[in-house]
Amino acid sequence: MNEGVEWALHSCLNLAWIGPGRAVTAARLAAYHELPAAYLNKQLQALVRAGILISASGPKGGFRLARDLDRITLMDVVTALEGPEEAFRCTEIRQRGPGAGPTGGRAPECAIAGAMGRADLAWRRELAAQTLDAVRERAERQAPDAPDRIRRWFADVT
Amino acid sequence: MNEGVEWALHSCLNLAWIGPGRAVTAARLAAYHELPAAYLNKQLQALVRAGILISASGPKGGFRLARDLDRITLMDVVTALEGPEEAFRCTEIRQRGPGAGPTGGRAPECAIAGAMGRADLAWRRELAAQTLDAVRERAERQAPDAPDRIRRWFADVT
C-alpha cells in the first residue's frame, strides 16, 4: 500500500483538529510531518476527487474536510488513494493452456479467486466499519494535548 | 499482490490432483497454464523455503507437496510469497516535524496504525481460516472433471 495512505489519514485528522472554517495548503500540511509537499498534494487531490476534501484556490485557499469525520471511513480514504481493486487479482490462468475448461459458457467463479476474495471482503468490512472520528477519539485518548498543539502550530504559521 | 500468488495456489492444487507420489518440474507446471517457467520456478522455490513444497533434483526431480492440503492455508502461501509485512506500513510520520510528541519514552501505538492493523488482522484471519483442501473441494464441485483431466495431462507429458 502506498505510503500516501498514512499521510492522507494524518492530514484528515489534522484538518479536523484545525477546525472546519480553515483551509490549509498542502505545503503547510506537509511541513507539519516533514513530508514532500508535491507528493502529499497529489494524495489530497485524490481525496478531493473522492469527495472527502474540498480544495479552494486563492490567497486563503487550501484544503478542508468536505464532511465530518464520522462520515468518512478508512475504506473511503483507502479506495480514494488505492482504487477499488482487490489486492489479489485473478487473471484466470485456469482458462489458459491445456487445462482450459470448455470455453463459450460462463465458467463458475474460480474457487481460488473466491477464497482470496473472502479475505479481501473481511479486510474491506473492517475498513468500512471504522470511521475517522473513531480513530480521532482514540488518538485523543493517547495524546490529549495533540489537538491543541496542532491548532496552535497551524494558527501561528500562516 | 504479486500475480505469482495465483500461480502458486493453482500449482499446489494441481500437485495435489497429480498425487503425492509424483514430482513435477516447474516447466511442466508452467506449461499447464501457459506461465513463464522461470518466474513460476521462483515462486515454487519460495514455497519450498516455507516448507510447503519439497523439491528434488535429478531426472525424476521436481516439486511435490510437503504436506497435505488440509495443513496448508491461504495465509501460508501468501506469507511465503509476499512476506509477513502488513499492507499498511506505519512510518511514524507523527514523530516527525513540529508535530512530534515528546521523544525518549515509548509512544503508544498510533491510532491510525492500530485501525489499519485491525483490518489487516481481519484479512489474515480469513486467509488463515481457509485451507487449500477446502479450496480444492469447492473447485471439484465446480469442475468435477478437472482432477482427472489434470492427472491425464501430467501423466501423458513426461
Side-chain angles (χ1 to χ4, degrees):
Chain A
M1 189 178 294
N2 193 298
E3 60 194 338
V5 173
E6 181 190 17
W7 304 356
L9 290 169
H10 277 282
S11 296
C12 285
L13 260 58
N14 289 344
L15 285 171
W17 282 318
I18 293 162
R22 276 275 308 282
V24 185
T25 63
R28 285 294 167 222
L29 287 165
Y32 191 67
H33 291 301
E34 294 180 353
L35 302 172
Y39 191 18
L40 178 64
N41 187 55
K42 274 193 189 179
Q43 319 298 325
L44 300 177
Q45 294 291 358
L47 296 187
V48 170
R49 286 192 295 277
I52 295 167
L53 298 183
I54 291 169
S55 73
S57 51
K60 291 238 169 191
F63 296 91
R64 53 193 177 84
L65 291 168
R67 52 187 199 258
D68 290 341
L69 288 190
D70 61 357
R71 293 183 52 224
I72 306 172
T73 68
L74 293 176
M75 184 81 269
D76 294 332
V77 175
V78 169
T79 304
L81 300 182
E82 299 280 300
E85 295 80 25
E86 296 192 6
F88 177 82
R89 281 189 311 276
C90 173
T91 61
E92 284 286 347
I93 64 167
R94 65 179 177 148
Q95 304 283 6
R96 294 191 337 224
T103 54
R106 272 175 302 178
E109 187 192 40
C110 174
I112 288 174
M116 294 298 289
R118 271 187 292 282
D120 194 85
L121 194 63
W123 181 69
R124 284 168 197 277
R125 274 209 186 110
E126 189 65 35
L127 288 178
Q130 300 189 74
T131 68
L132 294 200
D133 202 51
V135 176
R136 178 195 58 75
E137 272 182 27
R138 281 193 296 270
E140 290 184 13
R141 276 202 300 275
Q142 291 175 352
D145 59 327
D148 259 0
R149 200 170 58 222
I150 286 166
R151 256 189 298 271
R152 273 201 310 274
W153 189 83
F154 280 96
D156 284 352
V157 190
T158 43
Chain B
M1 188 179 293
N2 194 297
E3 59 193 340
V5 173
E6 182 190 16
W7 305 356
L9 290 169
H10 276 283
S11 296
C12 285
L13 261 57
N14 290 343
L15 285 171
W17 282 319
I18 292 163
R22 277 275 306 283
V24 185
T25 64
R28 286 294 167 220
L29 288 164
Y32 190 67
H33 292 302
E34 294 180 352
L35 302 172
Y39 191 19
L40 178 64
N41 186 56
K42 274 193 190 178
Q43 319 297 327
L44 299 177
Q45 294 290 357
L47 296 186
V48 169
R49 285 192 295 276
I52 295 168
L53 298 184
I54 292 168
S55 74
S57 50
K60 291 239 168 192
F63 296 92
R64 55 196 175 82
L65 291 167
R67 53 188 198 257
D68 290 340
L69 289 190
D70 62 357
R71 294 183 52 224
I72 306 171
T73 69
L74 292 175
M75 185 81 269
D76 294 333
V77 174
V78 169
T79 304
L81 300 182
E82 299 280 299
E85 294 80 23
E86 295 192 8
F88 176 83
R89 282 189 310 276
C90 173
T91 61
E92 284 284 348
I93 65 167
R94 65 180 177 146
Q95 304 282 6
R96 297 194 330 228
T103 53
R106 271 174 302 178
E109 186 192 38
C110 175
I112 289 175
M116 294 299 289
R118 272 187 292 283
D120 193 86
L121 194 63
W123 180 70
R124 284 169 196 277
R125 274 208 187 112
E126 188 64 36
L127 288 178
Q130 301 188 72
T131 68
L132 293 200
D133 202 50
V135 176
R136 178 194 58 73
E137 271 181 27
R138 280 193 296 270
E140 291 184 12
R141 275 201 300 275
Q142 291 175 352
D145 59 328
D148 258 0
R149 201 170 58 224
I150 287 166
R151 257 189 297 271
R152 273 202 309 274
W153 189 85
F154 281 96
D156 284 353
V157 190
T158 43

